[in-house]
Structure formats: structure tokens, C-alpha cells
Amino acid sequence: YVIGRFYALPAYPLAHRDQCLSYLEKAAEQGSQDAAWYLYRLAVDNILPDLQFDEAQSQRALLKAAKLGHPDALTQLGLVNLKGQWGAQDFQQASQYFSQAAALGNVTALYQLGEMSEHGFGVQPDLSQAQSYYVQAAQGMNAAALTRLGYFYIHGIGVERDLKIAQQYLEKAALQGYVEAQEQLENIHAFLNT
């Protein structure tokens, strides 16, 4: 895996980057979830423009990384199923992938489970469950979850309305550059200063 990543460096003076793929594919076949995930990132992020990937290759790499238990790959597959990017939306499959990734500590997956619970995607809407997922994701400093919790406290959704607590959540998200949190903070400041 490390050799493959080394060959992927743009500054590395290789005439052919195919050695990068060879090492990464070999590492993935030997069970390296990081190698499989990096193959997927190479495909979708166009990290090495001289290497061309088709959609089937990127899908195979993502499926391989998820099969090996990479939390980001599991989360990405959850998103693929939630949005129906490879076919019909499948909320049950999305929830399974998010749950696996959340069990591995992926805060984005926890946030997505919160969204599914809040909005009733494939489940009955459950604000208490949604809040629980958001709190867990917020503990990992997920800006979207922090913002959602701020919104809950602004509007008293499932909690007692408390602008100070809302402000604390939103400030943490705003410090990460999360625009929605910054906008909600501006609204709180405008409200408090009127």
C-alpha cells in the first residue's frame, strides 16, 4: 500500500504510473482496506490525471473497500444507495452501510443515520433517535450534526428551546467554515441584539 501511495505522488519521477495501480491493487487483494479505498479515491478525485478510470472500475474499488470494512467506503456506499446513484434508492441498504460505518466510528455515517431518522427515510420519523445520532456525530465534531443540533435548540424541536446551547453548537460548526451554521449564528445575534 505504502509503495503504491509513493508512486502516486505527482512529484515522483516515474514515466508510468501503472506501477502505482499495480501495488495498490495487489495490496487491496491482500486485504488492505486503505489500498482499496485509495484506488477508489484515485478514480473519483482524478488525483493522477494521466490514469483513466471508468465508472465500473471506481465502483469495483468502492465495493472492495467496503467489503474490507473501510468506514469511509461504507459511508460512501450508504450515500450511493440513499441517493440512488447506481440505480433505485434503497433506504434499507443505505441504513445498513451507515450502521456498519457508524459502528466503526464514522461521524458522517452517524449524521446520515440522524437525517434518515429525522426525515423518515426508510423508517418512521423519530426525532429522539435522530437527536441521539446527531449528538454522537457532534462529539466527533461533524459540522452538519452540530448545525442540526443548533437548529433543534433554536426551534425547540425535541428539546427545550435554548439559544445559548444552540449558539454553542453553531459556533463549533462555524469555526469549521460551515456556511449554514454561520448563517444561523448571524440570525441568533440579530435576534438577541434587537
Side-chain angles (χ1 to χ4, degrees):
Y1 166 68
V2 174
I3 294 171
R5 287 291 301 257
F6 183 70
Y7 283 150
L9 294 173
Y12 194 79
L14 279 180
H16 303 287
R17 297 260 183 233
D18 57 340
Q19 288 187 11
C20 163
L21 291 179
S22 173
Y23 280 107
L24 289 170
E25 287 169 350
K26 187 173 188 173
E29 288 305 315
Q30 292 175 349
S32 171
Q33 58 179 241
D34 290 329
W37 176 245
Y38 193 67
L39 280 167
Y40 171 72
R41 298 307 321 162
L42 281 174
V44 298
D45 292 341
N46 199 26
I47 294 171
L48 298 173
D50 49 328
L51 294 178
Q52 297 298 314
F53 295 89
D54 61 30
E55 189 172 335
Q57 287 173 304
S58 67
Q59 288 178 2
R60 278 193 306 277
L62 180 58
L63 289 167
K64 178 72 171 178
K67 182 179 178 182
L68 292 170
H70 195 284
D72 292 336
L74 291 163
T75 301
Q76 185 62 35
L77 269 178
L79 290 168
V80 164
N81 282 279
L82 181 66
K83 297 175 182 179
Q85 292 173 330
W86 294 352
Q89 284 181 307
D90 187 339
F91 295 131
Q92 183 177 5
Q93 191 68 50
S95 178
Q96 289 175 354
Y97 283 124
F98 289 143
S99 294
Q100 289 174 359
L104 296 170
N106 187 287
V107 295
T108 302
L110 285 163
Y111 169 75
Q112 290 300 330
L113 287 168
E115 283 277 293
M116 292 182 77
S117 295
E118 180 182 354
H119 301 291
F121 297 142
V123 296
Q124 284 292 99
D126 185 340
L127 290 177
S128 176
Q129 183 65 55
Q131 184 181 14
S132 175
Y133 284 128
Y134 291 148
V135 166
Q136 291 174 66
Q139 289 170 346
M141 297 306 291
N142 179 279
L146 289 162
T147 303
R148 206 69 203 130
L149 287 169
Y151 181 85
F152 278 20
Y153 278 94
I154 289 171
H155 298 283
I157 299 172
V159 295
E160 188 173 327
R161 185 173 191 252
D162 188 326
L163 294 181
K164 293 292 182 195
I165 293 175
Q167 189 172 0
Q168 290 171 358
Y169 280 121
L170 293 170
E171 285 173 349
K172 290 176 184 176
L175 285 172
Q176 297 178 51
Y178 201 70
V179 174
E180 185 180 336
Q182 293 167 348
E183 291 169 353
Q184 288 188 38
L185 269 176
E186 289 173 11
N187 293 338
I188 288 175
H189 292 301
F191 176 77
L192 293 175
N193 293 326
T194 57

